[in-house]
């Protein structure tokens, strides 16, 4: 029996009875599922969806189903039936993830191959990756691991760690401001839940040494790769390479177009050619950037192992670092992504990069483990 407290469905007009049959909720808990009005819900989301969300017991019963939000989410999140994987779907500016409570084991509950199947948007749940909340190590609160939608395992995920922080707060039933120490492939990452609902993350220091990004591009005397030439598909691009634990190749233009109009870029055509370029032995995420002002940038991204996504948190951090190194912007920027804006600061005091943005739950679900 799978229970779901907040479910968003692709927009259709399911009858109330069909919702009841979909969720076959037990009557053992008491508040009421209420169909939110389309206009209220759709105003908050990019694509039209119908949301079914639990509300107080006093509201009139709508689909004739009785559930308590707290009991639902806690009972759902506590479930451990064998053969079923319970998950919560989150997104950070449309960069979406399947989150799995893995606190009872130091190994992910599913394989990279299974994760890739779950990420399939036609035959699976659909996501840019699967993120696991594992026990902490060396005194950290938790460990985060992530499998990209192609099954590869990156070191870090910026939008994902904001979703991770929200997920932990739900699992631990925490309200208000909280911060967590998280061990990741990029080292220690510290997200903080803010009172305004946003999540501020200390993403650590950027890595600029070419061999550590890693990239085979010829470095400057200080070992960094800033405004280097790279030929991709017969075009000479100018790139700056930055690691936020995972590799990023940032470009503001090429020999033909010195100042990119990022909306005109054919990501599906050029993205894979950067991702698999021989100059990036671990492949790379690639960010195409337009400068509006000293504190306002716009970017699109082709992600390693996930393709074109609506947002990339580590990418936005790499973009601000590259913009500062190239003298194109200051250390405090709003970075516009297709899914929405992120606030990024590369601190002069501690050399850490700070990212602030949203993370939202979309639905709870259960899936048979094949
Ligand atoms: N695809 C990335 C990992 C996810 C990064 C991105 N989604 C973010 O928000 O930082 C990589 O293989 O390095």
């Amino acid at each position: 029996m799978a229970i779901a407290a907040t479910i968003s469905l692709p927009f259709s007009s399911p009858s109330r009875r069909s919702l009841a049959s979909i969720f076959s909720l037990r009557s053992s808990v008491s508040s009421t599922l209420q169909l939110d009005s389309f206009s209220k819900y759709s105003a908050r989301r990019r694509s039209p969806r119908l949301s079914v969300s639990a509300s107080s017991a006093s509201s009139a019963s709508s689909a004739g189903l009785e559930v308590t939000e707290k009991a639902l989410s806690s009972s759902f999140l506590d479930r451990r039936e064998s053969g079923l994987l319970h998950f919560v779907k989150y997104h950070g500016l449309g960069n979406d993830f399947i989150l799995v409570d893995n606190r009872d084991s130091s190994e992910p509950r599913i394989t990279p191959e299974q994760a890739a199947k779950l990420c399939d948007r036609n035959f699976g749940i659909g996501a840019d990756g699967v993120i696991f909340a594992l026990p902490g190590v060396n005194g950290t609160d938790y460990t985060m691991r992530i499998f990209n939608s192609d099954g590869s395992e990156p070191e870090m995920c910026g939008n994902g760690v904001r979703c991770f922080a929200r997920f932990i707060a739900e699992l631990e039933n925490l309200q208000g401001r909280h911060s967590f120490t998280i061990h990741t492939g990029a080292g220690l990452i510290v997200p903080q839940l803010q009172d305004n609902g946003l999540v501020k993350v200390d993403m650590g220091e950027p890595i600029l040494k070419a061999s550590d990004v890693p990239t085979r591009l010829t470095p400057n005397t200080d070992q960094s790769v800033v405004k280097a030439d790279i030929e991709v598909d017969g075009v000479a691009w100018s790139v700056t390479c930055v690691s936020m634990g995972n590799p990023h190749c940032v470009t503001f233009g090429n020999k033909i177009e010195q100042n990119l109009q990022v909306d005109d870029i054919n990501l599906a055509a050029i993205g894979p050619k950067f991702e698999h370029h021989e100059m990036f032995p671990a492949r790379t995420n690639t960010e195409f950037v337009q400068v509006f002002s000293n504190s306002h940038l716009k970017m699109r991204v082709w992600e390693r192992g996930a393709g074109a996504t609506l947002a990339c948190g580590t990418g936005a951090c790499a973009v601000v670092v590259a913009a500062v190194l190239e003298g194109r912007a200051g250390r405090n920027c709003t970075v516009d992504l297709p899914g929405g804006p992120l606030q990024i600061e590369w601190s002069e005091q501690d050399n850490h990069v700070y990212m602030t943005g949203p993370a939202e739950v979309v639905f709870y679900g259960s899936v048979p483990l094949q």
Side-chain angles (χ1 to χ4, degrees), residues 98 114-121 125-130 147-149:
I98 298 160
Q114 287 174 310
K117 284 180 182 164
L118 293 182
C119 289
D120 187 291
R121 295 192 186 278
I125 300 160
D128 291 326
V130 181
F147 293 152
N148 281 318
S149 55

Side-chain angles (χ1 to χ4, degrees), residues 93-317:
L93 299 180
N95 189 202
D96 60 341
F97 303 97
I98 298 160
L99 273 91
V100 175
D101 180 5
N102 215 109
R103 291 173 298 168
D104 56 358
S105 162
S106 57
E107 281 305 312
R109 299 188 59 209
I110 61 173
T111 65
E113 293 72 25
Q114 287 174 310
K117 284 180 182 164
L118 293 182
C119 289
D120 187 291
R121 295 192 186 278
N122 296 99
F123 300 102
I125 300 160
D128 291 326
V130 181
I131 291 178
F132 304 90
L134 301 137
V137 294
N138 306 329
T140 64
D141 297 324
Y142 299 97
T143 295
M144 179 179 92
R145 287 181 64 179
I146 169 174
F147 293 152
N148 281 318
S149 55
D150 73 348
S152 61
E153 180 169 5
E155 302 80 356
M156 178 50 194
C157 179
N159 289 318
V161 79
R162 297 199 313 274
C163 296
F164 185 100
R166 281 253 161 271
F167 182 49
I168 292 298
E170 176 142 21
L171 289 173
E172 307 286 359
N173 206 9
L174 303 173
Q175 313 295 327
R177 292 174 78 88
H178 284 278
S179 69
F180 309 107
T181 54
I182 302 174
H183 170 69
T184 73
L188 177 66
I189 298 292
V190 182
Q192 184 183 61
L193 298 172
Q194 311 266 297
D195 291 330
N196 62 6
L198 297 179
V199 186
K200 180 172 184 178
V201 186
D202 175 353
M203 297 286 284
E205 299 185 65
I207 298 161
L208 302 175
K209 188 178 176 189
S211 55
D212 294 339
V213 170
T215 178
R216 296 192 180 100
L217 288 170
T218 307
N220 303 326
T221 50
D222 67 358
Q223 295 308 305
S224 68
V225 174
V226 177
K227 285 192 177 178
D229 289 338
I230 182 173
E231 185 170 317
V232 181
D233 211 16
V235 175
W237 290 79
S238 173
V239 301
T240 290
C241 297
V242 179
S243 169
M244 292 306 297
N246 57 348
H248 294 272
C249 173
V250 180
T251 183
F252 297 85
N254 55 48
K255 285 285 185 277
I256 300 162
E257 195 178 5
Q258 274 77 32
N259 297 302
L260 290 178
Q261 297 300 311
V262 294
D263 290 341
D264 299 343
I265 290 172
N266 182 346
L267 276 183
I270 194 72
K273 296 194 168 79
F274 271 96
E275 177 183 1
H276 299 279
H277 198 285
E278 60 182 357
M279 287 294 137
F280 298 104
R283 298 189 287 165
T284 188
N285 301 284
T286 305
E287 289 80 19
F288 302 87
V289 191
Q290 199 168 331
V291 180
F292 288 152
S293 77
N294 191 54
S295 59
H296 189 189
L297 306 170
K298 178 176 183 178
M299 67 173 262
R300 291 178 68 207
V301 60
W302 180 270
E303 284 198 35
R304 175 181 66 168
T309 59
L310 293 180
C312 180
T314 51
C317 295

